[in-house]
Amino acid sequence: MGARFQFFLACALALLASSIISAAVVEHTFHVQNLTVQRLCREQVITAVNGSLPGPEIRVQDGDDLVVHVVNKSPYNITIHWHGVFQLLSAWADGPAYVTQCPIRPGQTYAYKFKITRQEGTLWWHAHVSWLRATVYGALIVTPRHGPTSFPFRKPYQDVPILLGEWWNANVVDVENQGQALGTAPNISDAYTINGQPGDLYSCSKANTYKLTVVKGKTYMLRIINAALNNQMFFKIANHTMEVVAIDASYTRPYVTDVVVLAPGQTTDVLLVANQTVGSYYMAASPYISIQGISIPFVETATTGILVYEDATSATPLMPAIPAFNDTTTAHKFYTNLTGLVSWPTWVSVPKEVEVEMFMTFGLNLAPCSGGDTCAGPFGQRLSASMNNESFEFPSRLSMLEAFFDKVGGIYTTDFPSKPPVEFNYTDPSISFDQSLLFAPKSTKVKKLNYNSVVQIVLQNTALIARENHPLHLHGFNFHVLAQGFGNYDPVNDGKRFNLFNPQIRNTIAVPTGGWAVIRFQANNPGIWMAHCHLDVHLPWGLGMAFEVENGPTLPSRLPPPPVDLPQC
């Protein structure tokens, strides 16, 4: 008996030692500075990281520690958000300006330090201040601790990040500021991009179109990331189908489709088999314009890349059939056909006992045009946005997380409402310009949560000003998507539709236009965590809120002190 125990003990210690040895510290330095690039027949100065667009790709393994030294050589304040990373007990590294940190000022540096814990798949990083994420973004790829043989699908021959973006023939900070000054929507972008390039269909862009060379018969993983500021995107490849195997770094039951839809902030991993006739095929990304009730301008040209088979002689790529810009049916079919992979060890079951229930309405609003300004919003007012009729306003003299940790008052309050102050027919288009409902007060409010509490939120779109599909991103947590649909949420009938067995797991949910979604998560990470619309046009208007998750009862469940180099306001 003693010999057997000693054998098992030796095995356990060997496994532990192997795990410790295999974990690594991955270190990068980001130099953020001006970069002059040429797009759409002209030169433009942008803010970029390490002289590239997109920025550097980061690859780590689950369990690794990541250290990124950000050196701000740009003329703007900067922060970096690690989109989808849990930041367990490292909320100081989450990145939203004035929420978990004050910005890194020009000439300053800050080292983001955090551990990747129980995550694998495709995430990304981006600026989280102003509109700088238009050009400050890149892929963050987390591979399994035990290598690619640990995938729940066949090992791909190669994996390739595909980052979708937007391009302005202008300084994006100036574009946002001009819109804010006028109280209306800023100018739209001039192009969409694949891996930083607009592609063949835009002027002066053919020579630098992104190309991916493939070998016939091989399987490729495309790690698709929607880094666009304000547009959901359809993605297709001519004559090819794709097999979705993960979303937002969570594995899914394999789902075969010829079109992928991604809201800003979302990622989708697909397997692509190069099984067509040797030749050239366009990859195309085009906008999904979900807004209803008003007409808005948008770029109607698709961005393209080219899938080229090795030894191909055809010079003209085939173009896929692009969905209509307002094809909500196709978008909804894609979003609702995704389910989680219960059979895999990384699966996290749906928490069953709900302790906090919220009903959260959100959408566009108005704010008064004051101070003698001339405003270009409806009724001569400013465009605004809110959640539960509270329009989120960022603090400026101290970050919310510092106020939480040091118990400083006057930065935010803990009275964010669990339901809207007024009940109405939320998705009825006739209420779009009802001025009794349009104005929402500015505030900095959080919803206070006990450590480890299970939270269920009904996310209810409204028709105020316009009905639109809003992508809502929750910092610090993944959540289960229990159900989604159109119209007003019906707790009796829609509650019967909950998928509690294998729902998709996400960090960003595209709530259907004129509809709703129900999400559930466990608040097991102390700190201040934003929940906000990932259409960047809406965040400065106030379409956001935050959760204050209290410390737990033990030392491993309490937020550590801030790092010594945390930027100050």
Side-chain angles (χ1 to χ4, degrees):
M1 191 73 176
R4 180 185 293 181
F5 173 78
Q6 288 179 349
F7 172 76
F8 281 121
L9 178 62
C11 289
L13 290 173
L15 282 171
L16 178 62
S18 170
S19 173
I20 294 172
I21 292 170
S22 61
V25 176
V26 179
E27 201 157 358
H28 290 263
T29 299
F30 280 9
H31 295 278
V32 185
Q33 60 194 62
N34 285 350
L35 176 70
T36 301
V37 297
Q38 187 154 357
R39 299 287 190 278
L40 305 183
C41 313
R42 57 175 285 170
E43 286 190 342
Q44 179 66 46
V45 177
I46 64 171
T47 305
V49 174
N50 293 359
S52 66
L53 175 67
E57 175 188 305
I58 293 179
R59 286 185 179 253
V60 293
Q61 286 186 319
D62 178 29
D64 285 350
D65 289 287
L66 183 57
V67 180
V68 181
H69 304 273
V70 176
V71 183
N72 188 5
K73 300 176 181 177
S74 83
Y76 306 110
N77 292 341
I78 194 74
T79 69
I80 302 293
H81 170 52
W82 313 93
H83 189 111
V85 174
F86 294 152
Q87 299 291 359
L88 289 170
L89 300 181
S90 56
W92 304 106
D94 191 43
Y98 301 107
V99 178
T100 59
Q101 67 167 100
C102 297
I104 307 168
R105 306 288 183 184
Q108 294 183 346
T109 64
Y110 177 48
Y112 290 92
K113 299 178 180 179
F114 53 93
K115 180 180 285 292
I116 306 294
T117 306
R118 298 192 303 275
Q119 294 190 269
E120 50 190 70
T122 303
L123 299 171
W124 64 300
W125 57 265
H126 60 80
H128 210 298
V129 59
S130 184
W131 271 22
L132 290 175
R133 80 171 176 91
T135 53
V136 178
Y137 64 87
L140 172 56
I141 296 168
V142 184
T143 56
R145 165 57 45 200
H146 301 293
T149 55
S150 301
F151 289 145
F153 43 79
R154 59 194 179 280
K155 179 183 176 182
Y157 177 69
Q158 183 182 355
D159 75 270
V160 182
I162 302 290
L163 291 94
L164 310 180
E166 284 184 272
W167 176 263
W168 274 261
N169 280 334
N171 180 307
V172 292
V173 175
D174 293 343
V175 171
E176 182 192 12
N177 289 341
Q178 182 184 37
Q180 291 289 87
L182 295 174
T184 188
N187 290 339
I188 63 169
S189 58
D190 294 283
Y192 309 115
T193 60
I194 292 178
N195 288 350
Q197 296 294 338
D200 284 9
L201 304 185
Y202 291 96
S203 299
C204 307
S205 302
K206 188 178 182 69
N208 295 311
T209 296
Y210 172 74
K211 292 182 176 64
L212 172 62
T213 301
V214 297
V215 178
K216 187 173 174 63
K218 298 292 188 181
T219 298
Y220 295 79
M221 179 194 284
L222 304 185
R223 299 178 179 270
I224 312 169
I225 300 168
N226 188 352
L229 255 65
N230 295 316
N231 279 281
Q232 302 198 48
M233 305 294 287
F234 294 112
F235 180 83
K236 297 191 74 171
I237 304 174
N239 283 21
H240 291 75
T241 58
M242 295 167 281
E243 183 180 356
V244 178
V245 293
I247 54 173
D248 291 0
S250 296
Y251 294 123
T252 61
R253 282 184 64 191
Y255 171 56
V256 177
T257 176
D258 69 341
V259 60
V260 169
V261 191
L262 305 96
Q266 292 182 331
T267 73
T268 303
D269 293 349
V270 301
L271 296 182
L272 170 79
V273 181
N275 58 6
Q276 296 301 301
T277 303
V278 171
S280 297
Y281 301 86
Y282 274 123
M283 300 181 274
S286 59
Y288 165 44
I289 305 299
S290 64
I291 196 162
Q292 299 173 358
I294 60 173
S295 177
I296 62 166
F298 63 94
V299 178
E300 298 186 24
T301 308
T303 178
T304 53
I306 303 176
L307 187 79
V308 185
Y309 279 69
E310 195 174 72
D311 300 323
T313 57
S314 172
T316 305
L318 292 176
M319 176 64 83
I322 294 173
F325 299 118
N326 60 351
D327 192 348
T328 290
T329 301
T330 293
H332 192 66
K333 176 184 176 183
F334 177 83
Y335 283 137
T336 55
N337 274 347
L338 301 170
T339 51
L341 190 62
V342 175
S343 61
W344 199 247
T346 57
W347 169 253
V348 176
S349 298
V350 181
K352 294 299 189 294
E353 301 298 325
V354 176
E355 293 153 280
V356 179
E357 293 192 57
M358 300 180 69
F359 186 94
M360 197 180 296
T361 57
F362 54 91
L364 303 187
N365 294 93
L366 294 180
C369 186
S370 57
D373 294 340
T374 300
C375 298
F379 308 112
Q381 307 295 334
R382 292 184 172 278
L383 282 172
S384 182
S386 71
M387 305 183 81
N388 278 356
N389 206 50
E390 295 289 341
S391 186
F392 186 80
E393 195 165 50
F394 289 92
S396 60
R397 64 183 179 90
L398 189 71
S399 75
M400 297 171 70
L401 190 60
E402 288 172 279
F404 165 78
F405 187 85
D406 292 326
K407 297 180 173 57
V408 177
I411 303 301
Y412 65 87
T413 60
T414 58
D415 55 344
F416 182 86
S418 294
K419 61 181 182 180
V422 178
E423 291 185 18
F424 56 97
N425 188 351
Y426 305 113
T427 55
D428 181 0
S430 69
I431 58 101
S432 295
F433 292 99
D434 183 340
Q435 292 196 57
S436 69
L437 299 170
L438 281 179
F439 289 85
K442 297 290 181 181
S443 64
T444 310
K445 295 185 177 184
V446 306
K447 174 69 177 178
K448 193 172 182 176
L449 300 174
N450 291 330
Y451 179 78
N452 255 351
S453 59
V454 175
V455 185
Q456 180 171 295
I457 309 174
V458 177
L459 298 168
Q460 177 66 65
N461 247 315
T462 71
L464 295 176
I465 298 181
R467 289 181 294 173
E468 185 173 4
N469 184 310
H470 291 271
L472 295 183
H473 171 49
L474 176 61
H475 288 231
F477 305 94
N478 280 347
F479 50 78
H480 293 89
V481 181
L482 304 186
Q484 51 190 309
F486 295 101
N488 296 328
Y489 174 73
D490 179 347
V492 175
N493 295 311
D494 292 331
K496 297 174 183 176
R497 299 168 48 191
F498 284 8
N499 179 358
L500 299 175
F501 171 63
N502 67 344
Q504 57 184 277
I505 297 176
R506 306 209 76 130
N507 60 58
T508 305
I509 170 74
V511 182
T513 182
W516 53 270
V518 180
I519 66 172
R520 189 180 294 182
F521 70 96
Q522 186 164 20
N524 58 1
N525 192 10
I528 301 290
W529 306 104
M530 279 207 81
H532 65 90
C533 182
H534 221 272
L535 300 176
D536 269 25
V537 66
H538 294 163
L539 181 54
W541 291 350
L543 214 167
M545 55 83 67
F547 292 99
E548 178 191 272
V549 180
E550 295 298 285
N551 283 302
T554 62
L555 188 61
S557 62
R558 302 182 69 82
L559 180 68
V564 294
D565 62 339
L566 186 74
Q568 300 300 302
C569 289

